[in-house]
Amino acid sequence: YNRLGVYNMAIKDYNRAIEINPTHAEFYYCNRGNVFSKIGNYTQAIKDFNKAINLSPKFEDAYYRRGDTYDKIGNHMQAIENYKISARLGGSEAREFLRDKGIRW
């Protein structure tokens, strides 16, 4: 459903996956959190990225996506901090972004 752009159905399926296995970080991050970000529900997206990071503290891409979401709501300082954490954990997207902006991580 996510790839088809049927986001309400994608969220419904991700909710069910989380009910079945609430400790699987990917369900929050690359699934539901990304969909919430796509539809502009940034508050819920950040909550899901927080949950993914809580479950898997070295989940570099969750930090990157949380940073991206903070950037979308205008919280650029928080975004940069998340990009830095992602970069330190090996995130290539974060490293490239910070390098392009001339920001040390």
Side-chain angles (χ1 to χ4, degrees), residues 2-86:
N2 186 6
R3 288 186 180 159
L4 295 173
V6 185
Y7 300 126
N8 61 329
M9 293 302 292
I11 290 168
K12 183 178 176 182
D13 282 352
Y14 295 142
N15 288 341
R16 180 68 180 128
I18 289 167
E19 284 177 26
I20 293 168
N21 188 352
T23 62
H24 189 69
E26 296 246 348
F27 293 156
Y28 296 96
Y29 150 69
C30 66
N31 296 321
R32 199 173 69 177
N34 283 335
V35 172
F36 280 129
S37 186
K38 284 180 185 178
I39 64 172
N41 187 342
Y42 302 125
T43 300
Q44 187 59 52
I46 289 170
K47 286 179 184 178
D48 277 357
F49 297 136
N50 289 343
K51 181 68 174 183
I53 290 165
N54 218 12
L55 291 169
S56 183
K58 294 186 179 187
F59 197 166
E60 59 84 10
D61 207 29
Y63 287 100
Y64 180 80
R65 298 294 170 207
R66 185 171 70 178
D68 188 52
T69 305
Y70 277 124
D71 196 48
K72 288 176 182 175
I73 62 173
N75 191 339
H76 306 297
M77 294 302 292
Q78 194 68 24
I80 295 297
E81 289 308 310
N82 278 270
Y83 293 147
K84 286 179 179 180
I85 295 168
S86 177

